[in-house]
Amino acid sequence: MSAITPRLYPASRPRRMRKDDFSRRLMRENQLSADNLIWPVFVLEGEGRREAVPSMPGVERLSLDLLIEEAREAVELGIPAIALFPVVDADKKSELAEEAYSASGLVQRSVRELKAALPELGVITDVALDPYTSHGQDGILDEDGYVANDRTVETLIKQALSHAEAGADVVAPSDMMDGRIGAIRELLEREGLHNTRIMAYSAKYASRYYGPFRDAVGSAANLGKADKSTYQMDPANSDEALHEVAMDITEGADMVMVKPGMPYLDVVRRVKDELRVPTYAYQVSGEYAMHMAAFDNGWLDADTVILESLMCFKRAGADGVLTYFAKRAARLLAR
Protein backbone atom coordinates (compact mmCIF):
# COMPACT_ATOMS: atom_id res chain seq x y z
CA MET A 1 0.00 0.00 0.00
CA SER A 2 1.42 3.37 -0.99
CA ALA A 3 1.99 5.94 1.71
CA ILE A 4 -0.57 8.73 1.91
CA THR A 5 0.36 12.14 3.19
CA PRO A 6 -2.47 13.08 5.54
CA ARG A 7 -4.29 16.29 4.84
CA LEU A 8 -4.25 18.76 7.67
CA TYR A 9 -7.12 20.61 9.35
CA PRO A 10 -9.18 22.37 8.08
CA ALA A 11 -8.76 20.68 4.68
CA SER A 12 -9.50 17.44 6.49
CA ARG A 13 -12.31 17.30 9.00
CA PRO A 14 -12.81 13.62 9.95
CA ARG A 15 -15.94 14.52 11.87
CA ARG A 16 -17.71 15.33 8.59
CA MET A 17 -18.11 11.60 7.91
CA ARG A 18 -19.31 11.02 11.47
CA LYS A 19 -22.04 13.69 11.40
CA ASP A 20 -24.94 11.56 10.14
CA ASP A 21 -26.01 7.96 10.49
CA PHE A 22 -25.98 7.36 6.74
CA SER A 23 -22.34 8.40 6.31
CA ARG A 24 -21.21 6.52 9.41
CA ARG A 25 -22.83 3.41 7.92
CA LEU A 26 -21.26 3.97 4.52
CA MET A 27 -17.73 4.05 5.95
CA ARG A 28 -18.18 1.25 8.50
CA GLU A 29 -15.23 -1.12 8.12
CA ASN A 30 -16.73 -4.22 9.79
CA GLN A 31 -20.23 -5.68 9.87
CA LEU A 32 -21.69 -7.92 12.54
CA SER A 33 -24.57 -10.28 11.82
CA ALA A 34 -26.18 -13.40 13.23
CA ASP A 35 -24.01 -15.32 10.75
CA ASN A 36 -21.04 -14.58 13.01
CA LEU A 37 -22.56 -16.10 16.15
CA ILE A 38 -22.20 -19.56 17.69
CA TRP A 39 -24.32 -20.27 20.76
CA PRO A 40 -22.73 -22.43 23.51
CA VAL A 41 -25.32 -24.58 25.31
CA PHE A 42 -25.30 -26.94 28.30
CA VAL A 43 -27.28 -30.19 28.09
CA LEU A 44 -28.20 -32.48 30.98
CA GLU A 45 -30.00 -35.77 31.41
CA GLY A 46 -33.76 -36.12 31.86
CA GLU A 47 -36.86 -34.41 30.51
CA GLY A 48 -38.38 -31.05 31.27
CA ARG A 49 -35.33 -30.04 33.31
CA ARG A 50 -34.08 -26.48 33.47
CA GLU A 51 -31.33 -25.51 35.93
CA ALA A 52 -29.94 -22.03 36.42
CA VAL A 53 -26.17 -21.56 36.53
CA PRO A 54 -25.70 -19.23 39.54
CA SER A 55 -22.40 -17.76 38.33
CA MET A 56 -23.83 -17.10 34.85
CA PRO A 57 -27.13 -15.22 35.31
CA GLY A 58 -29.54 -15.98 32.48
CA VAL A 59 -27.73 -19.17 31.40
CA GLU A 60 -29.38 -22.53 32.06
CA ARG A 61 -28.56 -26.20 31.83
CA LEU A 62 -31.31 -27.80 29.75
CA SER A 63 -32.56 -31.30 29.19
CA LEU A 64 -32.53 -32.30 25.54
CA ASP A 65 -36.26 -31.80 24.93
CA LEU A 66 -36.06 -28.19 26.12
CA LEU A 67 -32.75 -27.62 24.35
CA ILE A 68 -34.27 -28.63 21.01
CA GLU A 69 -36.98 -25.99 21.44
CA GLU A 70 -34.42 -23.33 22.36
CA ALA A 71 -32.29 -24.40 19.39
CA ARG A 72 -35.32 -24.07 17.12
CA GLU A 73 -35.58 -20.42 18.13
CA ALA A 74 -31.85 -19.98 17.45
CA VAL A 75 -32.38 -21.25 13.90
CA GLU A 76 -35.27 -18.81 13.44
CA LEU A 77 -32.97 -16.00 14.59
CA GLY A 78 -30.42 -16.93 11.93
CA ILE A 79 -27.76 -18.37 14.24
CA PRO A 80 -25.89 -20.95 12.14
CA ALA A 81 -24.51 -23.25 14.85
CA ILE A 82 -24.54 -24.26 18.49
CA ALA A 83 -21.66 -25.63 20.56
CA LEU A 84 -22.75 -28.48 22.80
CA PHE A 85 -21.35 -29.03 26.32
CA PRO A 86 -22.55 -31.89 28.55
CA VAL A 87 -23.35 -31.89 32.25
CA VAL A 88 -22.27 -35.41 33.19
CA ASP A 89 -23.71 -37.16 36.24
CA ALA A 90 -21.18 -37.98 38.95
CA ASP A 91 -21.70 -41.72 38.57
CA LYS A 92 -20.61 -41.50 34.92
CA LYS A 93 -17.25 -39.89 35.74
CA SER A 94 -14.13 -42.03 36.04
CA GLU A 95 -10.33 -41.94 36.03
CA LEU A 96 -10.22 -43.01 32.36
CA ALA A 97 -13.29 -41.08 31.13
CA GLU A 98 -14.85 -44.08 29.36
CA GLU A 99 -18.24 -42.36 29.15
CA ALA A 100 -16.73 -39.76 26.79
CA TYR A 101 -16.91 -42.15 23.83
CA SER A 102 -20.03 -44.14 24.68
CA ALA A 103 -22.34 -44.38 21.67
CA SER A 104 -25.26 -43.99 24.06
CA GLY A 105 -23.71 -41.06 25.93
CA LEU A 106 -25.46 -37.77 26.54
CA VAL A 107 -23.62 -35.88 23.81
CA GLN A 108 -23.99 -38.63 21.23
CA ARG A 109 -27.76 -38.93 21.86
CA SER A 110 -28.12 -35.15 21.83
CA VAL A 111 -26.37 -34.83 18.49
CA ARG A 112 -28.58 -37.47 16.88
CA GLU A 113 -31.78 -35.86 18.12
CA LEU A 114 -30.73 -32.29 17.35
CA LYS A 115 -29.78 -33.22 13.78
CA ALA A 116 -33.04 -35.13 13.32
CA ALA A 117 -35.11 -32.20 14.56
CA LEU A 118 -33.06 -29.36 13.03
CA PRO A 119 -30.92 -30.69 10.19
CA GLU A 120 -30.02 -27.18 9.03
CA LEU A 121 -28.45 -26.26 12.38
CA GLY A 122 -24.71 -26.78 12.67
CA VAL A 123 -23.83 -28.87 15.72
CA ILE A 124 -20.35 -28.45 17.20
CA THR A 125 -19.21 -30.87 19.90
CA ASP A 126 -16.54 -30.38 22.53
CA VAL A 127 -13.82 -33.02 22.36
CA ALA A 128 -12.34 -32.96 25.85
CA LEU A 129 -12.36 -35.25 28.85
CA ASP A 130 -12.79 -32.87 31.80
CA PRO A 131 -16.59 -33.34 32.07
CA TYR A 132 -15.97 -37.11 32.29
CA THR A 133 -12.94 -37.42 34.57
CA SER A 134 -13.26 -37.88 38.30
CA HIS A 135 -10.29 -35.50 38.77
CA GLY A 136 -11.53 -32.73 36.46
CA GLN A 137 -8.46 -32.65 34.20
CA ASP A 138 -8.71 -32.78 30.40
CA GLY A 139 -6.81 -36.03 30.12
CA ILE A 140 -5.66 -39.31 31.58
CA LEU A 141 -3.27 -39.04 34.53
CA ASP A 142 -0.09 -41.05 34.90
CA GLU A 143 1.17 -42.44 38.22
CA ASP A 144 2.63 -39.01 39.11
CA GLY A 145 -0.62 -37.15 38.47
CA TYR A 146 0.65 -35.64 35.20
CA VAL A 147 -1.71 -35.55 32.21
CA ALA A 148 -0.25 -38.16 29.85
CA ASN A 149 -0.38 -36.73 26.35
CA ASP A 150 -0.37 -39.79 24.08
CA ARG A 151 -2.60 -41.87 26.34
CA THR A 152 -5.09 -39.00 26.39
CA VAL A 153 -5.02 -38.71 22.59
CA GLU A 154 -6.01 -42.39 22.35
CA THR A 155 -9.21 -41.56 24.23
CA LEU A 156 -9.83 -38.27 22.43
CA ILE A 157 -9.87 -39.91 19.01
CA LYS A 158 -12.47 -42.41 20.24
CA GLN A 159 -14.55 -39.52 21.56
CA ALA A 160 -14.26 -37.51 18.32
CA LEU A 161 -15.20 -40.56 16.24
CA SER A 162 -18.26 -41.25 18.38
CA HIS A 163 -19.41 -37.64 17.91
CA ALA A 164 -18.86 -37.75 14.15
CA GLU A 165 -20.67 -41.06 13.81
CA ALA A 166 -23.61 -39.58 15.74
CA GLY A 167 -23.81 -36.81 13.13
CA ALA A 168 -21.81 -33.90 14.56
CA ASP A 169 -20.98 -31.38 11.85
CA VAL A 170 -17.89 -30.10 13.67
CA VAL A 171 -15.75 -31.72 16.34
CA ALA A 172 -13.86 -29.21 18.46
CA PRO A 173 -10.88 -30.56 20.42
CA SER A 174 -10.38 -28.17 23.35
CA ASP A 175 -7.92 -30.27 25.35
CA MET A 176 -4.58 -28.82 24.10
CA MET A 177 -2.85 -32.21 23.81
CA ASP A 178 -0.03 -32.33 21.28
CA GLY A 179 -0.78 -34.19 18.04
CA ARG A 180 -4.48 -34.76 18.65
CA ILE A 181 -5.65 -32.90 15.52
CA GLY A 182 -3.59 -35.08 13.20
CA ALA A 183 -4.71 -38.24 14.97
CA ILE A 184 -8.38 -37.26 14.79
CA ARG A 185 -8.14 -36.23 11.13
CA GLU A 186 -6.43 -39.48 10.20
CA LEU A 187 -9.13 -41.54 11.91
CA LEU A 188 -11.99 -39.55 10.39
CA GLU A 189 -10.51 -40.01 6.93
CA ARG A 190 -9.99 -43.70 7.50
CA GLU A 191 -13.63 -44.10 8.56
CA GLY A 192 -14.92 -42.20 5.51
CA LEU A 193 -16.04 -39.17 7.52
CA HIS A 194 -14.36 -36.78 5.11
CA ASN A 195 -16.71 -33.84 5.67
CA THR A 196 -16.61 -33.77 9.46
CA ARG A 197 -14.96 -30.46 10.18
CA ILE A 198 -12.43 -29.87 12.95
CA MET A 199 -12.47 -26.63 14.92
CA ALA A 200 -9.22 -26.77 16.88
CA TYR A 201 -8.90 -24.88 20.12
CA SER A 202 -5.36 -24.08 19.05
CA ALA A 203 -4.59 -21.14 21.32
CA LYS A 204 -6.34 -22.02 24.57
CA TYR A 205 -4.80 -20.28 27.53
CA ALA A 206 -4.53 -21.42 31.16
CA SER A 207 -6.89 -18.62 32.10
CA ARG A 208 -8.78 -17.80 35.29
CA TYR A 209 -11.74 -16.64 33.18
CA TYR A 210 -13.15 -20.19 32.94
CA GLY A 211 -14.51 -20.52 36.48
CA PRO A 212 -18.25 -20.13 35.77
CA PHE A 213 -18.05 -22.62 32.89
CA ARG A 214 -16.56 -25.24 35.19
CA ASP A 215 -19.45 -24.60 37.57
CA ALA A 216 -21.90 -25.06 34.70
CA VAL A 217 -20.56 -28.45 33.57
CA GLY A 218 -19.80 -29.67 37.08
CA SER A 219 -16.04 -30.08 36.81
CA ALA A 220 -14.99 -27.35 39.26
CA ALA A 221 -15.40 -29.52 42.35
CA ASN A 222 -13.48 -32.39 40.75
CA LEU A 223 -10.60 -30.13 39.72
CA GLY A 224 -10.36 -28.48 43.15
CA LYS A 225 -7.27 -26.31 43.51
CA ALA A 226 -5.40 -27.97 40.64
CA ASP A 227 -4.81 -26.05 37.42
CA LYS A 228 -4.17 -26.87 33.76
CA SER A 229 -0.96 -24.97 33.15
CA THR A 230 0.96 -28.09 32.05
CA TYR A 231 -1.07 -28.23 28.83
CA GLN A 232 -2.94 -24.96 28.35
CA MET A 233 -0.90 -21.95 27.23
CA ASP A 234 0.80 -19.31 29.37
CA PRO A 235 -1.19 -16.03 29.16
CA ALA A 236 2.12 -14.19 28.67
CA ASN A 237 2.75 -15.76 25.24
CA SER A 238 1.55 -14.91 21.73
CA ASP A 239 4.34 -16.21 19.46
CA GLU A 240 3.57 -19.65 20.89
CA ALA A 241 -0.04 -19.26 19.78
CA LEU A 242 1.02 -18.83 16.16
CA HIS A 243 3.13 -21.97 16.39
CA GLU A 244 0.21 -23.95 17.85
CA VAL A 245 -2.22 -22.68 15.20
CA ALA A 246 0.20 -23.47 12.36
CA MET A 247 0.69 -26.99 13.69
CA ASP A 248 -3.05 -27.64 13.93
CA ILE A 249 -3.73 -26.37 10.42
CA THR A 250 -0.92 -28.56 9.07
CA GLU A 251 -2.41 -31.56 10.91
CA GLY A 252 -5.83 -31.06 9.33
CA ALA A 253 -7.86 -28.49 11.27
CA ASP A 254 -10.40 -26.57 9.20
CA MET A 255 -10.85 -23.76 11.72
CA VAL A 256 -8.95 -22.51 14.75
CA MET A 257 -10.00 -21.03 18.05
CA VAL A 258 -8.52 -18.45 20.41
CA LYS A 259 -9.78 -18.74 23.99
CA PRO A 260 -10.51 -16.62 26.02
CA GLY A 261 -11.77 -13.85 23.80
CA MET A 262 -11.62 -10.14 24.57
CA PRO A 263 -8.47 -10.25 26.78
CA TYR A 264 -6.72 -12.04 23.89
CA LEU A 265 -7.85 -10.02 20.86
CA ASP A 266 -4.21 -9.28 20.04
CA VAL A 267 -3.77 -13.02 19.48
CA VAL A 268 -6.86 -13.14 17.24
CA ARG A 269 -5.41 -10.30 15.17
CA ARG A 270 -2.01 -11.95 14.84
CA VAL A 271 -3.50 -15.31 13.84
CA LYS A 272 -5.70 -13.72 11.18
CA ASP A 273 -3.00 -11.42 9.79
CA GLU A 274 -0.16 -13.90 9.75
CA LEU A 275 -1.88 -17.19 8.95
CA ARG A 276 -5.12 -16.12 7.23
CA VAL A 277 -7.16 -19.13 8.28
CA PRO A 278 -10.78 -19.31 9.49
CA THR A 279 -10.40 -17.89 12.99
CA TYR A 280 -12.87 -17.98 15.88
CA ALA A 281 -12.85 -16.71 19.44
CA TYR A 282 -14.76 -17.67 22.56
CA GLN A 283 -16.30 -14.95 24.72
CA VAL A 284 -15.91 -17.17 27.74
CA SER A 285 -17.97 -17.60 30.89
CA GLY A 286 -15.90 -15.19 32.96
CA GLU A 287 -16.36 -12.47 30.37
CA TYR A 288 -20.10 -13.14 30.33
CA ALA A 289 -20.31 -13.08 34.13
CA MET A 290 -18.48 -9.75 34.34
CA HIS A 291 -20.75 -8.19 31.74
CA MET A 292 -23.87 -9.49 33.48
CA ALA A 293 -22.72 -8.15 36.85
CA ALA A 294 -22.30 -4.70 35.32
CA PHE A 295 -25.66 -4.92 33.54
CA ASP A 296 -27.51 -6.11 36.64
CA ASN A 297 -26.06 -3.26 38.69
CA GLY A 298 -26.95 -0.67 36.08
CA TRP A 299 -23.31 0.21 35.49
CA LEU A 300 -23.42 -0.55 31.74
CA ASP A 301 -26.19 -0.55 29.15
CA ALA A 302 -26.70 -4.19 28.19
CA ASP A 303 -27.89 -4.03 24.58
CA THR A 304 -25.31 -1.55 23.31
CA VAL A 305 -22.40 -3.08 25.21
CA ILE A 306 -23.22 -6.62 24.01
CA LEU A 307 -23.09 -5.52 20.39
CA GLU A 308 -20.00 -3.39 20.94
CA SER A 309 -18.18 -6.29 22.58
CA LEU A 310 -19.01 -8.59 19.68
CA MET A 311 -17.99 -5.99 17.11
CA CYS A 312 -14.59 -5.90 18.82
CA PHE A 313 -14.09 -9.54 17.86
CA LYS A 314 -14.95 -8.79 14.24
CA ARG A 315 -12.63 -5.81 14.15
CA ALA A 316 -9.81 -7.96 15.53
CA GLY A 317 -10.29 -10.44 12.68
CA ALA A 318 -12.54 -13.16 14.11
CA ASP A 319 -14.80 -14.82 11.57
CA GLY A 320 -17.17 -15.88 14.33
CA VAL A 321 -17.67 -15.75 18.09
CA LEU A 322 -18.88 -18.33 20.57
CA THR A 323 -20.97 -16.23 22.93
CA TYR A 324 -23.63 -16.85 25.56
CA PHE A 325 -25.19 -13.61 24.29
CA ALA A 326 -25.82 -15.15 20.85
CA LYS A 327 -29.63 -15.21 20.95
CA ARG A 328 -29.91 -11.80 22.55
CA ALA A 329 -27.46 -10.34 20.05
CA ALA A 330 -29.29 -11.92 17.11
CA ARG A 331 -32.54 -10.32 18.26
CA LEU A 332 -30.83 -6.93 18.54
CA LEU A 333 -29.28 -7.28 15.09
CA ALA A 334 -32.66 -8.13 13.58
CA ARG A 335 -34.17 -4.81 14.64
Side-chain angles (χ1 to χ4, degrees):
M1 181 181 295
S2 60
I4 298 175
T5 302
R7 293 174 295 167
L8 301 178
Y9 173 87
S12 177
R13 290 181 179 263
R15 288 184 59 192
R16 273 196 292 263
M17 285 297 288
R18 302 180 199 140
K19 179 180 180 296
D20 296 302
D21 179 66
F22 85 87
S23 53
R24 290 193 296 270
R25 288 163 56 199
L26 284 171
M27 67 178 289
R28 188 163 292 151
E29 297 174 25
N30 295 283
Q31 301 289 334
L32 178 70
S33 78
D35 292 341
N36 307 123
L37 305 175
I38 298 169
W39 183 36
V41 297
F42 301 105
V43 62
L44 47 67
E45 294 283 6
E47 292 185 6
R49 294 182 64 193
R50 187 184 294 271
E51 295 180 354
V53 180
S55 55
M56 300 177 70
V59 172
E60 296 176 310
R61 309 176 188 96
L62 299 170
S63 56
L64 181 55
D65 56 328
L66 299 183
L67 175 58
I68 288 173
E69 293 310 307
E70 293 283 351
R72 196 180 307 279
E73 183 186 22
V75 170
E76 292 169 357
L77 288 167
I79 295 171
I82 63 171
L84 191 62
F85 298 94
V87 182
V88 179
D89 291 340
D91 63 357
K92 297 288 182 66
K93 297 175 186 278
S94 66
E95 288 288 315
L96 300 179
E98 292 94 342
E99 182 67 14
Y101 52 88
S102 170
S104 60
L106 177 59
V107 168
Q108 292 82 352
R109 285 183 280 115
S110 297
V111 170
R112 285 192 289 269
E113 294 193 34
L114 279 162
K115 292 305 296 183
L118 300 164
E120 69 274 42
L121 176 67
V123 176
I124 302 170
T125 59
D126 184 44
V127 177
L129 304 186
D130 52 327
Y132 302 93
T133 55
S134 52
H135 45 72
Q137 293 286 0
D138 292 54
I140 308 302
L141 303 184
D142 65 16
E143 60 275 11
D144 298 317
Y146 180 74
V147 174
N149 191 93
D150 296 0
R151 176 65 184 84
T152 297
V153 170
E154 291 174 7
T155 302
L156 292 171
I157 63 175
K158 295 177 185 178
Q159 183 183 28
L161 179 61
S162 73
H163 292 179
E165 289 179 334
D169 300 289
V170 183
V171 293
S174 64
D175 54 282
M176 289 300 287
M177 297 298 114
D178 295 334
R180 89 277 203 213
I181 300 301
I184 291 170
R185 175 57 72 204
E186 181 181 351
L187 180 59
L188 293 175
E189 287 293 319
R190 192 162 65 241
E191 295 297 322
L193 295 161
H194 310 299
N195 289 324
T196 302
R197 282 137 284 194
I198 298 177
M199 175 184 281
Y201 284 59
S202 300
K204 182 177 180 179
Y205 287 84
S207 171
R208 296 298 181 179
Y209 282 89
Y210 304 146
F213 175 92
R214 291 172 183 164
D215 292 339
V217 299
S219 66
N222 300 95
L223 186 63
K225 295 183 179 181
D227 65 25
K228 302 186 178 184
S229 57
T230 66
Y231 48 97
Q232 294 177 357
M233 285 178 48
D234 185 337
N237 297 351
S238 66
D239 289 347
E240 183 185 11
L242 296 178
H243 178 70
E244 289 276 6
V245 170
M247 284 181 64
D248 285 352
I249 290 295
T250 301
E251 290 180 19
D254 302 288
M255 302 167 269
V256 298
M257 170 80 73
V258 175
K259 182 182 180 183
M262 287 186 70
Y264 295 81
L265 290 182
D266 61 312
V267 179
V268 174
R269 182 76 270 166
R270 287 195 67 188
V271 169
K272 195 63 176 177
D273 282 350
E274 298 185 36
L275 297 173
R276 300 188 181 278
V277 295
T279 304
Y280 296 80
Y282 199 144
Q283 189 177 46
V284 298
S285 59
E287 298 173 66
Y288 175 86
M290 290 191 301
H291 277 95
M292 289 302 297
F295 301 157
D296 290 346
N297 280 283
W299 298 333
L300 293 173
D301 177 73
D303 289 351
T304 55
V305 169
I306 287 169
L307 293 183
E308 180 181 342
S309 71
L310 295 172
M311 181 58 78
C312 291
F313 287 95
K314 285 289 290 180
R315 191 190 66 241
D319 297 291
V321 187
L322 279 80
T323 175
Y324 301 97
F325 293 121
K327 289 176 74 173
R328 185 168 181 174
R331 291 189 194 100
L332 293 171
L333 291 165
R335 290 180 180 176

